Amino acid sequence: MAMNIKNIYCVGRNFVLHAQELNNTIPASPLLFLKPTHSLIIADGRDIVFPKTRGDIHYEVEFVVHIGRQYEQGINVDDLIDQMALGLDLTLRHVQSELKKKGYPWLQAKGFPHSAVLTTWSPFKGIEESIKYDFILEKNGQVTQQGNIKDMIFDLPTIVEFTANNFGLDQGDIIFTGTPAGVGPVADGDCFTLKWDGKQLGDCTIKLI
Ligand code: ZN
């Protein structure tokens, strides 16, 4: 990665319609999990290859923020976040369902290599500017997911404060902020395009071999 990324935090169940489509309850506080840095890969038009033996991979498009400086209590989110990107939080949905049943951590379903797909970074223009635009995932040229950070159950200030207080937050950390409704399985050869403010920020083709 061009950027030295430290911790990869992800928020689960942060959009009502997505929580409902998976028959999940709405959490009372932010639900966070981590991905290893080995999960990172850039959506720069490349093919991303997974062995079919891993199981069914689902796509989840998400708004991703990059932390630009050390968190201090009460800091304005617009001063803390310096960059934004879009990402795919790739998920082994069947594995995750089994883990949930057993009450086990989600790592095996969420943390496999190349499960954190990122577009290139853009400057973060602040929350007020960012809620003007939807983020969009196209699959093979068709819009399959569309979201807006104004619809998050836990907004950016809440997520940032919760993460900092419980786990720590510093320059180089990134946060996947949750997926809107419309998640689904990846088929071999699916082409994904991630769009923001009418512009394409990244794309990739997923190959299952
Ligand atoms: Zn997700």
Side-chain angles (χ1 to χ4, degrees), residues 81-85 120-126 130 196:
I81 297 169
D82 62 348
Q83 311 249 48
M84 61 78 55
T120 51
W121 295 96
S122 300
F124 181 68
K125 293 177 181 161
S130 299
W196 164 251

Side-chain angles (χ1 to χ4, degrees), residues 10-12 18 33 60 62 89 91 110 178-179:
C10 305
V11 185
H18 170 63
F33 59 93
E60 298 188 356
E62 311 203 0
D89 164 20
T91 304
K110 292 283 198 180
T179 195

Side-chain angles (χ1 to χ4, degrees), residues 125-181:
K125 293 177 181 161
I127 292 176
E128 281 311 305
E129 192 65 22
S130 299
I131 61 176
K132 290 182 185 167
Y133 310 107
D134 288 353
F135 56 95
I136 289 170
L137 178 66
E138 288 180 3
K139 186 178 85 166
N140 304 322
Q142 303 285 325
V143 174
T144 183
Q145 281 191 277
Q146 183 160 1
N148 190 300
I149 63 167
K150 72 176 186 298
D151 298 321
M152 297 194 303
I153 296 168
F154 300 104
D155 61 12
L156 281 176
T158 305
I159 292 168
V160 158
E161 188 187 358
F162 183 89
T163 305
N165 288 338
N166 286 284
F167 314 112
L169 197 60
D170 204 342
Q171 196 279 332
D173 292 340
I174 67 172
I175 308 174
F176 280 68
T177 58
T179 195

Side-chain angles (χ1 to χ4, degrees), residues 99-120:
L99 294 169
K100 278 192 209 164
K101 273 187 220 160
K102 293 176 184 165
Y104 286 1
W106 293 1
L107 181 60
Q108 209 165 331
K110 292 283 198 180
F112 56 96
H114 300 165
S115 62
V117 180
L118 277 180
T119 67
T120 51

